[in-house]
Amino acid sequence: MPGPAAGTAHAATTTDVVCLGESMVTFLPSQPGRLADVPSFGRGIGGAESNVACALAAAGHRAAWVGRVGADGFGDHLVETIAGYGVDTSAVRRDPDRPTGIYFRTATDRGAGAHEVAYYRAGSAASAMSPSNVPYGEVFAGRILHLSGITAALSGDCLELLRELTAPRPGRPLVSFDVNHRPHLWRGGEADASVLLELARHCDLVFVGEDEAEEAWGIEGAEAIRAALPEPSVVVVKRGSAGATVFSGLRPGPRSSNAGAAEIVTVVPALRVDVVAAVGAGDAFAAGFLSATLRGLSVRDRVRHGHLMAAAVLTVPGDLTEPPARDHADRLVALDDGAWGRLRLGPGWTAADRAPEEVRTS
């Protein structure tokens, strides 16, 4: 089966981050309520990996999205909209035989009992991605390759592709993986939990929610999650309103010869945010963390940038928004712990480049 050659053109890269995965046209409700009762929908785009690419490009990084869409109007809309954020879409492939995926959702929080999502993605162009039709030169052309567990759930071919892309090999870029456990996407009989754990253990940087680790793996607590993921150099455990815990530094394992080296554990509180819609926040957090990683910032500051990117998305209705200007975000990230803890961000907080003392606190 075709796959990437060792030492693919990573060394000559001009791209910061390559994100690979499915993007879909999303239809956002004009008002709250059941899908059966919503009279009309506005059109947007949605996709974990393309969301990360758009946020990174909007933050000034060179980002590329690799995916597969139908040769249809929805595919045109996706490629044009994502490119409009400044993302390189030249490696996106068009499928003449399969449609672009779409979905409809209600306005409520994904975690709420009344939340509904209607996906029309079975047999989509993206589900046909495989090791035989992905442009490996473009996929491995960045400093970072960002993937998610959603892609592995789309089809058997997509799962094999993720296994290829996460396989250890000389010269590969830093591989970032967001677990993104979505039980409803997995085919009957597929051991989704074990697959996601297998993929995550082959990556360098892993994002995982404390809640999804418990749901998928029956693991409770950040320390237990790290114990289940000993190989990645960095594991970011997202803990909702409690913030995030990051395990980093040298750790005993197959990739380290420093047996017994001390692990660095960094705990960063979350921000208080007046939430408009709780969608896209995880992707935005990953984008903020990756952006700060590319800039060589400390782990604490990487997490804080993640929180700020997430807050920008949480205070708008859709999955994407303009992030705060870099100098604005840097000033907020530099606040002492007390001032950081007093921040409260609401709609419009990114619009004005205000000094830290002008941001609303309570």
Side-chain angles (χ1 to χ4, degrees):
M1 183 176 292
T8 308
H10 168 52
T13 182
T14 58
T15 303
D16 291 323
V17 182
V18 175
C19 303
L20 178 145
E22 180 176 35
S23 190
M24 294 177 290
V25 173
T26 176
F27 290 91
L28 308 174
S30 58
Q31 64 184 45
R34 302 183 308 154
L35 286 178
D37 301 326
V38 175
S40 61
F41 296 81
R43 185 177 66 174
I45 65 170
E49 301 85 3
S50 60
N51 285 349
V52 172
C54 289
L56 284 166
H61 297 284
R62 298 163 298 182
W65 172 58
V66 178
R68 194 173 182 88
V69 300
D72 51 32
F74 287 146
D76 294 340
H77 176 66
L78 279 175
V79 174
E80 292 166 6
T81 303
I82 293 169
Y85 280 87
V87 176
D88 180 355
T89 59
S90 60
V92 176
R93 298 296 186 257
R94 308 300 293 264
D95 191 320
D97 301 316
R98 297 175 179 84
T100 303
I102 65 173
Y103 73 98
F104 297 77
R105 67 169 175 82
T106 52
T108 51
D109 186 344
R110 179 182 286 133
H115 184 69
E116 297 175 72
V117 180
Y119 287 105
Y120 298 89
R121 73 199 304 182
S124 70
S127 70
M129 288 189 295
S130 75
S132 65
N133 62 22
V134 163
Y136 285 101
E138 287 90 341
V139 170
F140 283 98
R143 295 167 59 190
I144 296 174
L145 171 61
H146 181 70
L147 308 166
S148 94
I150 293 173
T151 304
L154 299 180
S155 69
D157 283 343
C158 283
L159 174 54
E160 288 308 307
L161 173 62
L162 265 287
R163 283 179 167 142
E164 282 277 357
L165 296 180
T166 57
R169 58 173 47 83
R172 80 174 192 182
L174 184 151
V175 178
S176 165
F177 183 75
D178 194 332
V179 171
N180 267 330
H181 182 228
R182 300 287 186 269
H184 61 277
L185 291 180
W186 289 88
R187 283 108 24 227
E190 183 67 71
D192 58 308
S194 61
V195 165
L196 292 174
L197 190 61
E198 166 204 336
L199 293 172
R201 292 182 67 176
H202 287 156
C203 298
D204 304 299
L205 165 59
V206 175
F207 298 96
V208 59
E210 202 169 38
D211 55 347
E212 66 183 345
E214 183 175 359
E215 180 183 33
W217 305 324
I219 297 172
E220 296 185 33
E223 293 285 349
I225 293 170
R226 178 48 156 163
L229 295 168
E231 294 88 354
S233 300
V234 179
V235 174
V236 182
V237 180
K238 298 176 291 183
R239 304 172 58 222
S241 61
T245 299
V246 182
F247 299 89
S248 61
L250 299 174
R251 180 176 179 82
R255 296 186 196 170
S256 174
S257 60
N258 299 278
E263 174 108 275
I264 301 170
V265 181
T266 306
V267 179
V268 182
L271 290 163
R272 288 178 294 168
V273 180
D274 297 330
V275 176
V276 172
V279 291
D283 304 330
F285 178 91
F289 191 96
L290 291 174
S291 172
T293 298
L294 288 163
R295 296 172 59 198
L297 302 186
S298 69
V299 171
R300 187 208 72 164
D301 289 359
R302 295 177 196 186
V303 178
R304 284 191 172 189
H305 274 285
H307 285 323
L308 288 171
M309 281 273 211
V313 169
L314 288 169
T315 50
V316 298
D319 290 25
L320 293 166
T321 190
E322 189 74 18
R326 180 174 291 184
D327 58 349
H328 184 194
D330 282 345
R331 287 201 300 274
L332 295 178
V333 164
L335 293 173
D336 61 40
D337 290 345
W340 175 264
R342 292 191 297 272
L343 285 178
R344 181 164 185 160
L345 305 178
W349 75 270
T350 63
D353 189 6
R354 296 173 291 183
E357 63 271 14
E358 296 174 308
V359 176
R360 184 157 66 99
T361 62
S362 62

